[in-house]
Amino acid sequence: MKQQLDYLDRIAAQCMDPEWLDTGFGVLSTGEKLYVALAANRADLLAGMDYTMAQAVSRIGDDWMRELVRRWQYG
């Protein structure tokens, strides 16, 4: 799981750049996309997938949510 979330965190960091061009995002699973959108604080990406924040949190599950908070709460 660590290696997968490290990869997703790199995509989330890129996603925060205003010049971001969707590199790598399109090939992710739905759960991975939701993790990236939440980590990057991109409500527009969630909306584009027809997910609310609450739905996204529920979909990624407790383990990933705990890791997301641990990794991004001070980011």
Side-chain angles (χ1 to χ4, degrees):
M1 176 172 80
K2 180 188 180 317
Q3 190 174 19
Q4 181 182 18
L5 293 181
D6 289 347
Y7 172 70
L8 296 176
D9 286 342
R10 286 192 297 275
I11 294 173
Q14 292 172 355
C15 183
M16 291 177 181
D17 183 340
E19 304 292 320
W20 180 66
L21 298 173
D22 192 9
T23 307
F25 188 75
V27 299
L28 300 176
S29 72
T30 300
E32 290 170 333
K33 287 178 183 179
L34 294 172
Y35 175 94
V36 167
L38 288 168
N41 198 27
R42 295 283 306 268
D44 61 313
L45 294 177
L46 294 176
M49 296 173 61
D50 291 325
Y51 274 83
T52 65
M53 287 195 185
Q55 290 168 328
V57 167
S58 176
R59 172 72 187 257
I60 69 170
D62 293 339
D63 291 342
W64 277 25
M65 196 62 215
R66 269 191 298 277
E67 276 298 303
L68 185 147
V69 170
R70 186 183 71 74
R71 291 163 176 251
W72 289 91
Q73 68 182 332
Y74 300 114

